[in-house]
Amino acid sequence: MPDIDEYAGQHIVIENDGARCIHSRYCVLNLPSVFVPNVDGPWIHPDAAATEAAIAVVTKCPSGALRYRPASDTTHAEGAPGVNTIRVWENGPLAVHAALDVGGDTASLRATLCRCGLSKNKPYCDHSHVEGAFVATGEPQSKAVAAVDHRDGPLKVTPTRNGPLKVEGAVEICAASGRTIARETRTFLCRCGHSQDKPFCDGSHAKAGFKAD
């Protein structure tokens, strides 16, 4: 099990899974009274701002490294979104927001999944796309988008051995700008970095000799 740091406040406990963090810095830039980097000792102070403000920032953490749980009857747990989304980041990972099961990991409703093939923490992004100078547009062409019966519910992401991410469940795949690329209930997404049809798998992992559990 990964090491999860916990920071208890009066109304919420904020959890931090350092292995998931991709240093988007949303927390420290948007609520510096609560999230204080580069200090000795605890760096998260849940009661240093209104509970609603702290929750708002935690639930914007794209990687799911930050999450919270209620510590009093006055606070509600984070709810799953009304629309499951996978957002394609420019030269970066796939940012997922849904009632997630990533290879059996159901700890968070949010995750950033590696699509460059270089992460040492697969299937999660660890920022290796920067060191590896990964280049892939965040604005791929839209495919034919059909209406779906529902847009929420469980979303299962299975990293296939030496292959793509198998995604099962209703999901809207979006460009970085928010434009809809596709709506799917079952699809395969590239995680080797070699597909010519990113973010979708085109079988290039086999030719590239991609290896990953």
Side-chain angles (χ1 to χ4, degrees):
M1 292 290 290
D3 291 329
I4 309 297
D5 297 325
E6 296 187 349
Y7 302 87
Q10 183 177 359
H11 298 294
I12 59 173
V13 176
I14 297 178
E15 300 177 353
N16 178 57
D17 181 351
R20 290 269 204 106
C21 182
I22 62 168
H23 307 290
S24 65
R25 302 186 70 235
Y26 186 90
C27 55
V28 299
L29 294 178
N30 284 276
L31 199 58
S33 60
V34 172
F35 303 95
V36 186
N38 305 318
V39 294
D40 293 328
W43 70 281
I44 298 177
H45 307 276
D47 292 335
T51 300
E52 294 79 5
I55 289 173
V57 169
V58 168
T59 55
K60 292 295 184 182
C61 173
S63 67
L66 292 176
R67 50 221 186 215
Y68 79 93
R69 66 177 189 268
S72 72
D73 294 338
T74 62
T75 308
H76 297 288
E78 181 180 358
V83 179
N84 294 338
T85 56
I86 297 177
R87 192 173 295 251
V88 181
W89 282 12
E90 185 82 11
N91 303 331
L94 301 167
V96 190
H97 189 199
L100 267 176
D101 177 339
V102 180
D105 182 355
T106 59
S108 180
L109 300 171
R110 292 159 280 112
T112 44
L113 304 179
C114 175
R115 71 178 183 124
C116 70
L118 302 174
S119 174
K120 299 174 183 63
N121 189 36
K122 296 181 183 69
Y124 301 105
C125 173
D126 70 354
H127 232 236
S128 289
H129 56 274
V130 176
E131 292 180 12
F134 177 64
V135 176
T137 183
E139 296 291 333
Q141 283 191 323
S142 294
K143 297 183 178 291
V145 179
V148 292
D149 292 336
H150 62 280
R151 303 169 73 188
D152 59 356
L155 190 70
K156 185 176 183 180
V157 179
T158 305
T160 65
R161 185 173 180 81
N162 302 330
L165 298 169
K166 180 170 70 172
V167 180
E168 300 170 287
V171 66
E172 188 155 327
I173 301 174
C174 302
S177 63
R179 172 176 52 84
T180 300
I181 298 169
R183 293 192 186 102
E184 305 285 354
T185 55
R186 185 175 186 270
T187 191
F188 291 85
L189 300 179
C190 176
R191 68 173 181 135
C192 72
H194 293 280
S195 174
Q196 299 302 302
D197 188 29
K198 297 181 187 72
F200 303 98
C201 173
D202 68 355
S204 292
H205 55 274
K207 184 177 180 180
F210 177 67
K211 301 295 183 184
D213 291 331

